[in-house]
Amino acid sequence: QVQLVESGGGLVQAGGSLRLSCAASGRTSAPMTMGWFRQAPGKEREFVAAITWSGGSTDYADSAKGRFTISRDSAKNVLYLQMNSLTPEDTAIYYCAASRLWLVTTRNRFDYWGQGTQVTVSS
């Protein structure tokens, strides 16, 4: 079992930045991928970014490339998402997720989920 707790969401103006954190506990030593997803009101939950826990390989959704950076601190078991140049279209609940598979990006390949943190970008 892996427990995930997100933090760092909030209200920010368009063009601003936020850094989300996800604290992982439990069986985090197993090889896995960690990822960020988001869900806007009335929309499906969508992939944002992923990183392999051991090697640091990354993948991003097109909407995140060039603006968001995913990283992890393996010693502290913390996952991050640095979000820059935010727009109102980035408004959503952001979820941290963990998978036992290598660098996956599809929702159904992730086994564990956090409770989510709200990000609201005002225009």
Side-chain angles (χ1 to χ4, degrees):
Q1 285 284 356
V2 176
Q3 293 77 44
L4 304 171
V5 179
E6 303 97 333
S7 61
L11 174 64
V12 63
Q13 288 188 332
S17 299
L18 277 176
R19 188 176 80 157
L20 305 182
S21 299
C22 173
S25 60
R27 295 187 62 185
T28 56
S29 61
M32 63 171 56
T33 298
M34 298 289 291
W36 290 99
F37 287 74
R38 67 185 183 185
Q39 188 166 16
K43 294 187 177 181
E44 295 289 320
R45 192 172 300 188
E46 64 177 6
F47 169 73
V48 175
I51 187 168
T52 55
W53 197 247
S54 59
S57 298
T58 58
D59 198 359
Y60 293 91
D62 288 343
S63 60
K65 289 178 181 177
R67 299 189 302 130
F68 295 1
T69 302
I70 189 171
S71 61
R72 86 276 186 252
D73 185 329
S74 300
K76 297 181 179 179
N77 287 340
V78 179
L79 176 73
Y80 301 102
L81 184 68
Q82 177 67 43
M83 304 187 293
N84 299 326
S85 302
L86 286 162
T87 73
E89 288 68 37
D90 296 314
T91 295
I93 299 174
Y94 283 71
Y95 296 90
C96 172
S99 172
R100 289 169 287 185
L101 302 175
W102 181 263
L103 202 58
V104 292
T105 62
T106 53
R107 178 180 172 182
N108 61 3
R109 298 297 185 93
F110 283 80
D111 308 291
Y112 306 101
W113 294 85
Q115 81 290 349
T117 186
Q118 176 70 48
V119 171
T120 302
V121 184
S122 63
S123 57

